[in-house]
């Protein structure tokens, strides 16, 4: 009986919680180490802090909506987010390889905008319909 009342945590929901938790952990690192990380990446410290706040918001929303949004929605949003992250990281590396100092700013800019867009799309997504319980036979 306790299993029926306990919320069901699957590998997928655990993965969503872990993804949101990772974003929040990364946010703390960005905020706490804004100056040294900014110098290392070639991005201003204020951008590191703003990116950290955006990641904190995005990770918090992602974790909070885990059970109320469909896995299909989460999967699509994470594929888009992670694909953009990889492409932006490659663009930043290419810029740095060509001698530009803007690669870190481009990468951090993505990490500032993308979590907010992700969170907004997640909040705006249709909620999961609650599973219907066992039906009672009312024909008696």
């Amino acid at each position: 009986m306790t299993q029926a009342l306990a919320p069901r945590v699957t590998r997928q929901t655990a993965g969503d919680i872990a993804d949101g938790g990772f974003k929040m952990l990364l946010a703390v690192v960005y905020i706490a180490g804004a100056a040294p990380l900014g110098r290392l990446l070639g991005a201003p410290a204020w951008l590191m802090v703003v990116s950290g706040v955006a990641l904190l918001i995005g990770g918090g929303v992602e974790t909070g909506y885990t059970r109320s949004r469909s896995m299909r929605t989460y999967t699509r949003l994470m594929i888009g987010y992670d694909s953009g992250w990889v492409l932006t990281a490659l663009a930043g590396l290419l810029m740095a390889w060509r001698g530009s100092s803007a690669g870190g700013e481009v990468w951090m800019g993505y990490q500032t905008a993308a979590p907010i867009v992700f969170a907004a799309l997640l909040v705006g997504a249709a909620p999961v319909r609650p599973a219907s319980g066992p039906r009672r036979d009312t024909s008696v």
Side-chain angles (χ1 to χ4, degrees), residues 46-83:
W46 68 265
L47 182 57
M48 300 298 295
V49 171
V50 171
S51 181
V53 170
L55 279 166
L56 194 60
I57 292 167
V61 168
E62 184 176 350
T63 303
Y65 278 81
T66 298
R67 290 189 181 96
S68 64
R69 297 300 185 259
S70 74
M71 288 312 308
R72 184 177 187 178
T73 298
Y74 262 99
T75 302
R76 286 180 174 178
L77 289 174
M78 282 197 274
I79 288 170
Y81 181 93
D82 291 344
S83 297

